[in-house]
Amino acid sequence: QVQLQESGPGLVKPSETLSLTCTVSGGFINSFYWSWIRQSPGEGLEWIGYISDRGSTNYNPSLRSRLTLSVDTSNNQFSLKLSSVTAADTAVYYCARDLITFGVRHWFDPWGQGHLVTVSS
Amino acid sequence: DIQMTQSPSFVSASVGDRVTITCRASRDISTWLAWYQQKPGKAPKLLIYGASTLQSGVPSRFSGSGSGTDFTLTISSLQPEDFATYYCQQANSFPPFTFGPGTKVDCK
C-alpha cells in the first residue's frame, strides 16, 4: 500500500523559500501524477500544483510565480519550493497521489499525514 | 476559478441518522466532483469521485449524487467513526482544482 511522508523545516522566515519533500513508499513514483495541497484555517484546502513522474507540471495560477515542483524518481521523491513566503503561506502542507479518471480528471488519494509550516520571524 | 460552496456548515446528528450534505459549484462541472472525509489531525480521505463512484474500501452507507452544479453526499446510517468534516472538490476546470469550505458532522 502506497504511503506518502512530507518532510522539511517547520519554521520559515518571511521572504525566504519554503522547501518540502514527499517520500513515496510501498510503491513507485513512476506512471503517476503527484500533487501538493495545503490547508490553513483561513483558506481551507488549496491545491498548489501537480507534477508527473516525467516532470510535467501544472501550477495553481495564484502561486505560479513563486512555485517550483520537481521530481526525483531515483529516490522515489518529489519536492516543492515556494519562494518569498509571507504569513499567508502558513499552513499544513500535504502531498498526495493523483487518481486520474477519463484521462484528465484528478482526484487525490492517498495523502501524506501533513506537515505544518509556520512563516514567522 | 470555479467556486465551491457547501451547506450546511455544521450538522448535529446522532448515530443511526441519515445525513445529507450539499455542494454547489459556481458553474456546470458535469459529474466531475469528489467528496473527502477528514478527521481531526488527519489528512483528508477520498470517499467518492465522479459524483457517485465509491472509492475502494469505502463503506456502502456513503453515496453521492448530482450533476451540473448541485451535488449531495448522503450517509445512510451515521456510524460513530463518521463524525468528521467533509469536503467536496471539483475536477472539471483547472488549474486550479478547488475545494468546498467543508461541512462538519458533529455528535448531537
Side-chain angles (χ1 to χ4, degrees), chain A residues 35 37 39 44-47 50 58-61 64 94 98-99 101-102 104-109 111-114, chain B residues 1 31-34 36 38 41-46 49-50 55 87 89-97 99-100:
Chain A
S35 278
I37 298 159
Q39 185 173 33
L45 288 163
E46 181 180 28
W47 175 77
Y50 69 59
N58 200 333
Y59 296 162
N60 190 321
R64 183 176 291 141
Y94 295 99
D98 288 34
L99 167 65
T101 61
F102 297 92
V104 294
R105 310 302 171 186
H106 291 237
W107 325 105
F108 310 111
D109 182 68
W111 299 47
Q113 66 183 30
Chain B
D1 297 1
T31 57
W32 306 125
L33 184 104
Y36 298 83
Q38 185 178 33
K42 301 293 187 182
K45 171 189 170 185
L46 179 65
Y49 62 90
Q55 174 65 332
Y87 296 91
Q89 173 236 325
Q90 69 82 20
N92 181 71
S93 176
F94 64 95
F97 301 103
F99 294 84

Side-chain angles (χ1 to χ4, degrees), chain B residues 50-104:
Chain B
S52 61
T53 301
L54 216 59
Q55 174 65 332
S56 176
V58 174
S60 59
R61 63 181 179 272
F62 290 93
S63 64
S65 64
S67 66
T69 60
D70 295 316
F71 302 86
T72 58
L73 171 70
T74 299
I75 309 171
S76 60
S77 178
L78 194 69
Q79 297 302 299
E81 60 268 31
D82 300 336
F83 292 107
T85 300
Y86 293 85
Y87 296 91
C88 57
Q89 173 236 325
Q90 69 82 20
N92 181 71
S93 176
F94 64 95
F97 301 103
T98 50
F99 294 84
T103 294
K104 185 174 182 179

Side-chain angles (χ1 to χ4, degrees), chain A residues 43-89:
Chain A
E43 298 297 325
L45 288 163
E46 181 180 28
W47 175 77
I48 297 170
Y50 69 59
I51 187 165
S52 75
D53 61 319
R54 299 190 176 193
S56 173
T57 58
N58 200 333
Y59 296 162
N60 190 321
S62 68
L63 300 169
R64 183 176 291 141
S65 63
R66 301 191 290 129
L67 181 64
T68 302
L69 301 186
S70 59
V71 63
D72 177 357
T73 55
S74 62
N75 286 308
N76 242 28
Q77 295 177 327
F78 59 103
S79 298
L80 170 155
K81 289 187 187 301
L82 185 66
S83 64
S84 304
V85 297
T86 70
D89 295 309

